Amino acid sequence: MKAAAFAYARATSVVNALELLAAHGDKARVLSGGQSLMPAMNLRLLSPDIVVDIGGLAELRGIAVKGDVLVIGALTRHVDLLGSPEVALHAPLLRDAVAHVAHPAIRNRGTIGGSLAHADPASELPACVVALDATVIVRGPAGERLIAATGFFKGIYETALSPDELLVAVEVPVAGQGSTFFFQEYARRHGDYAIAGLAARAVVARGRFTDLRLGFFAVGDRPLLASAADKLINASVTAVLLAEAATALADELDPHEDQQASPAMRRHLATVLLRRCVAALLARPELETGATK
């Protein structure tokens, strides 16, 4: 299929992009890398009257450490996350996740802002920013808003963005002492949409979790920060406790059914990921300083 007819405008600045969005409201869609938007338009899942292209706005690119946060511009490409020394040091979870995003051609064009704004529940990066306790920065006619990643995703392809707002950056807290990370997904083939996946950040001290954030994806209509993780914090993780956490996780999930998997399979895979994640994180040597993958 081909997209329905639409008008095209190439924004010359963030201010210009906001003017175009204000003029056209919910009839407009923002084009950044285009790797999510264009397929959705070709399938007639989206039929905007106008596409506002922000791909040329250099002010929305880049990765920088500012104090205790890593600031990533919305137009930073997946391939840039893969190669960034700042990401490798301060947020390696993003690097590990991006390696699973589709294929090189997609990663060379796709952007972090486009992925988050598209809000595909099977996407890797939304779960990562939830697990990392990131903040999404959006700009609109009234100025800038800071939205916690946990409150940004509202449903399938739905976010807290207003039609006249633009996602401009993401702020990720830098990895602190003892931080460690885990990423894994199940897909029929590498690069396919995930059937179930988990992005996790933890702090481990003396063989126990002092913090644990589990961001599951492809198991509901949005990324899930699992409350089941609370059972494993400041506790000796035994087989019995892990089984209780797995049961609690299964109760939290609301997986959908499609051609790839049934809800029961997604629940099963999520609990398998939980067990693998906990075993992997607790088996790693504890560090005195810094972070580990």
Side-chain angles (χ1 to χ4, degrees):
M1 295 181 66
K2 293 184 178 180
F6 60 91
Y8 172 85
R10 187 171 180 83
T12 57
S13 66
V14 170
V15 171
N16 179 229
L18 292 176
E19 291 172 346
L20 290 165
L21 293 178
H24 297 280
D26 59 7
K27 297 183 183 299
R29 286 293 184 273
V30 174
L31 173 66
S32 52
Q35 304 308 294
S36 298
L37 177 64
M38 298 314 298
M41 290 175 60
N42 288 339
L43 290 171
R44 303 294 177 98
L45 299 175
L46 295 173
S47 296
D49 288 352
I50 184 171
V51 169
V52 178
D53 186 353
I54 64 170
L57 304 184
E59 60 192 294
L60 297 184
R61 300 188 189 279
I63 301 168
V65 179
K66 297 183 179 180
D68 58 355
V69 296
L70 181 68
V71 182
I72 305 173
L75 291 184
T76 302
R77 298 171 300 163
H78 299 325
V79 69
D80 298 324
L81 296 175
L82 273 172
S84 166
E86 293 85 2
V87 169
L89 179 62
H90 297 296
L93 183 64
L94 293 175
R95 176 200 59 195
D96 297 343
V98 167
H100 293 264
V101 174
H103 305 286
I106 302 298
R107 296 194 290 269
N108 287 339
R109 294 286 299 172
T111 64
I112 186 171
S115 178
L116 300 184
H118 188 59
D120 188 325
S123 182
E124 294 86 355
L125 292 181
C128 287
V129 297
V130 166
L132 291 171
D133 198 20
T135 299
V136 179
I137 304 175
V138 305
R139 198 174 299 167
E144 208 164 77
R145 281 202 301 147
L146 306 182
I147 307 173
T150 49
F152 183 73
F153 304 99
K154 298 298 185 181
I156 298 177
Y157 309 131
E158 183 182 359
T159 72
L161 274 172
S162 298
D164 58 357
E165 288 182 318
L166 187 66
L167 194 162
V168 296
V170 182
E171 290 185 347
V172 179
V174 300
Q177 181 175 334
S179 294
T180 185
F181 305 90
F182 174 91
F183 184 90
Q184 188 175 349
E185 68 177 42
Y186 288 107
R188 297 196 179 277
R189 296 175 302 177
H190 182 81
D192 283 3
Y193 284 108
I195 298 173
L198 171 59
R201 182 188 72 82
V203 179
V204 179
R206 295 180 295 279
R208 295 190 178 199
F209 293 113
T210 59
D211 191 22
L212 179 63
R213 294 176 67 88
L214 304 175
F216 286 90
F217 58 100
V219 290
D221 67 352
R222 70 197 78 180
L224 170 72
L225 183 66
S227 299
D230 295 343
K231 291 182 174 291
L232 304 174
I233 297 174
N234 295 320
S236 177
V237 179
T238 63
V240 172
L241 183 61
L242 188 53
E244 290 177 0
T247 298
L249 172 64
D251 290 340
E252 283 188 75
L253 301 178
D254 185 22
H256 56 280
E257 182 166 8
D258 57 24
Q259 294 180 341
Q260 289 205 94
S262 67
M265 176 179 285
R266 294 183 195 276
R267 278 196 176 88
H268 170 69
L269 292 177
T271 58
V272 171
L273 286 168
L274 170 65
R275 293 176 183 275
R276 288 190 174 184
C277 173
V278 169
L281 295 178
L282 292 179
R284 291 174 185 166
E286 294 177 24
L287 300 183
E288 293 298 324
T289 58
T292 186
K293 177 177 171 182

